[in-house]
Amino acid sequence: MQDQATTPDATLRAMQAIVGERACLSGDTDTQAYVTDYRRIYHGRARVVVMPSSTEQVSRVLQWCYANNVPVVPQGGNTSLMGGAVPDDSGTAVVVNLSRMNRVLAIDTINDTMTVQAGVTLSAARSAAEAEQRLFPLRIGSEGSCQIGGNLSTNAGGTAVLRYGNMRDLVLGIEAVLPDGRIYSSQRGLRKDNTGYDLKHLFIGAEGTLGIITGAVLKLMPQPRSSAVAFVAVDSPAAAVRLLGEAKHLSGQAVTAFELISQPALELVLEYLGNVAAPLPARHDWMVLIELTSGTDAESLNATLMEILESGFEQKLVVDAAVAASLSDAQTFWRIREEISDAQTRTGGSIKCDVSVPLSRIAAFVEEASAKVLALEPAARMVIYGHMGDGNVHFNPLRPKDQTAKAFLAQWYEPISSLVDAMAHAENGSISAEHGIGVVKRDDLTRYKSAVELELMWQVKQALDPRNLLNPGKVLPARGH
Ligand code: MLT
Ligand code: ZN
């Protein structure tokens, strides 16, 4: 039980004394945007929303909360799809929003690293790298809002994982404030450091349950000199996987993105965008968006793309293809892909499963899981899309057009998400490939993590956050659940 001896007023005054009056919000109206999740499913309450401007201020905030047993919810751009960044409705938590810690502190073009505060948005980080002719390769649709701290806390993935890896692969060190206010730092920019446990990885993907990430040293890559993009209709998911193999074989490291898009996903997003034409003239059940990038010239990269497509046609993997003839074509293809998520949020009534299985099983998984869902609800729109190249698909059955979101979710959310997750698990897959756990998937972990894994997770939590004050109720199911 938490000791709530401190009143909301006393908390507000204490926070104001640390960060200044203008960096504290209280009251239901002013805090609303910070207590409602991105998909507007969770509506919590906060005692105070506090916006520190330095690591030292974060440390003092956490010290005070620790001493007074006040729970803390860390928050970046609040783009979690799992309700991971908002407080519950008890009104007891202090939300620590990192938006004001938004400075790029240093770029070292010899070490190829960038040191940032956690509140830098992903797009600002990418732009800062670009200004120095470097690439920070993480690419996700919410890059204008999501922040590096949140990207790290959720080990964000996105559309370039196939080439560059997850956020975990893109960081050399972090700074994090522990629940009692102590500061951990490994921001030395080293690519080699085998001096015991690599502690930064505890905080990456922990969704703010072990500490608040306040800064990071990120890896920078060479900027590609050319890119080639195609929107390709394929015969089946299995044909898509074979085409990916062909693309890897013919282009070496150049395949940067390989995104699957089902016909209902395309139809939904085109309806949502309104004024964007379908990239291909005919209707196809399955499509892939392929992007190659390289340090060579555009001509030879385009030739490689054509070679891949020709080989695909010959082997009857490819049915039709539109190659982007300009930057604007490529941007349109990408817009179609990246807006699928918002199109679903706007439509309402989608069962968002985010699963991964080994690449060798992904095609069969997609076909078999689709058949099972359609056997339950034949009119469900099978919005399936995402990062097939790394074995991760967003498998999101959507309500039939003539059903309300409420009715569809009430009847099907539980049976369909359990079915899809169980099928992924049976294929050695994951029930959350890149969106994390938050509150949405928390209790499901009891079914899909082993007793040993759960016990270790609890022991780590206990060691770092013995009072269970950091993002309580997220990620970890209750012990003995
Ligand atoms: C995406 O790939 O578009 C994102 O993971 C968001 C989503 O699936 O809703
Ligand atoms: Zn995704």
Side-chain angles (χ1 to χ4, degrees), residues 19-350:
V19 301
E21 269 182 43
R22 287 170 58 193
C24 290
L25 301 172
S26 61
D28 287 348
T29 312
D30 287 355
T31 59
Q32 200 184 1
Y34 304 91
V35 297
T36 307
D37 80 310
Y38 178 73
R39 293 172 66 207
R40 307 205 183 299
I41 293 172
Y42 297 96
H43 304 276
R45 288 173 56 234
R47 195 182 275 202
V48 187
V49 175
V50 52
M51 298 179 176
S53 60
S54 66
T55 303
E56 196 251 329
Q57 286 188 358
V58 176
S59 165
R60 287 175 60 202
V61 166
L62 291 202
Q63 248 175 52
W64 188 90
C65 290
Y66 188 78
N68 293 284
N69 260 326
V70 170
V72 171
V73 175
Q75 187 176 76
N78 195 11
T79 58
S80 168
L81 296 168
M82 294 290 163
V86 289
D88 64 19
D89 59 7
S90 65
T92 55
V94 166
V95 172
V96 178
N97 181 289
L98 278 293
S99 301
R100 288 175 69 221
M101 292 184 59
N102 61 356
R103 282 186 304 138
V104 174
L105 298 173
I107 296 187
D108 181 338
T109 53
I110 296 174
N111 201 32
D112 276 328
T113 50
M114 173 164 66
T115 307
V116 298
Q117 290 185 309
V120 169
T121 62
L122 175 55
S123 64
R126 284 174 59 93
S127 301
E130 203 176 315
E132 298 293 334
Q133 286 82 51
R134 297 293 186 281
L135 174 73
F136 180 65
L138 190 79
R139 199 161 70 181
I140 54 183
S142 56
E143 67 166 47
S145 320
C146 67
Q147 298 172 6
I148 295 298
N151 298 149
L152 284 162
S153 295
T154 56
N155 186 25
T159 53
V161 170
L162 177 59
R163 174 79 172 269
Y164 296 105
N166 293 297
M167 194 61 179
R168 196 183 287 286
D169 304 304
L170 301 174
V171 62
L172 293 179
I174 64 161
E175 178 187 74
V177 180
L178 304 181
D180 60 7
R182 282 178 298 157
I183 297 168
Y184 157 82
S185 179
S186 58
Q187 299 196 102
R188 289 178 297 152
L190 300 177
R191 282 181 169 73
K192 287 189 149 183
D193 176 21
N194 286 349
T195 53
Y197 302 152
D198 195 345
L199 297 170
K200 66 176 178 286
H201 287 300
L202 280 179
F203 299 91
I204 300 169
E207 301 185 34
T209 58
L210 301 177
I212 299 187
I213 295 177
T214 47
V217 177
L218 305 174
K219 288 185 197 169
L220 298 178
M221 312 288 170
Q223 261 186 338
R225 285 176 56 207
S226 56
S227 75
V229 177
F231 202 95
V232 182
V234 287
D235 185 56
S236 61
V241 173
R242 284 181 55 202
L243 183 65
L244 171 64
E246 201 62 18
K248 285 177 180 167
H249 175 67
L250 292 169
S251 79
Q253 294 280 308
V255 192
T256 302
F258 194 91
E259 297 281 312
L260 182 73
I261 301 174
S262 71
Q263 197 282 327
L266 180 68
E267 188 181 312
L268 183 78
V269 73
L270 291 178
E271 206 179 290
Y272 171 72
L273 293 173
N275 56 356
V276 174
L280 297 168
R283 189 180 185 283
H284 302 279
D285 287 348
W286 297 102
M287 290 142 285
V288 287
L289 176 56
I290 306 178
E291 180 171 295
L292 308 182
T293 59
S294 88
T296 62
D297 61 289
E299 210 176 308
S300 66
L301 195 65
N302 278 327
T304 306
L305 179 61
M306 295 315 291
E307 202 187 342
I308 292 165
L309 295 175
E310 274 159 26
S311 164
F313 274 115
E314 268 165 33
Q315 296 178 61
K316 304 207 179 335
L317 308 173
V318 172
V319 182
D320 197 3
V323 175
S326 62
L327 184 61
S328 137
D329 280 355
Q331 283 168 344
T332 303
F333 293 174
W334 271 111
R335 196 167 158 226
I336 289 170
R337 161 61 191 90
E338 283 179 344
E339 297 281 347
I340 296 172
S341 182
D342 281 353
Q344 287 181 99
T345 305
R346 167 77 75 84
T347 310
S350 81

Side-chain angles (χ1 to χ4, degrees), residues 363-400:
F365 170 82
V366 165
E367 301 270 27
E368 287 163 21
S370 299
K372 286 206 169 154
V373 170
L374 287 171
L376 293 174
E377 173 47 277
R381 286 175 277 176
M382 299 306 291
V383 175
I384 300 168
Y385 63 100
H387 324 297
M388 188 180 223
D390 58 50
N392 170 203
V393 286
H394 301 310
F395 190 100
N396 299 347
L398 176 69
R399 68 176 168 83

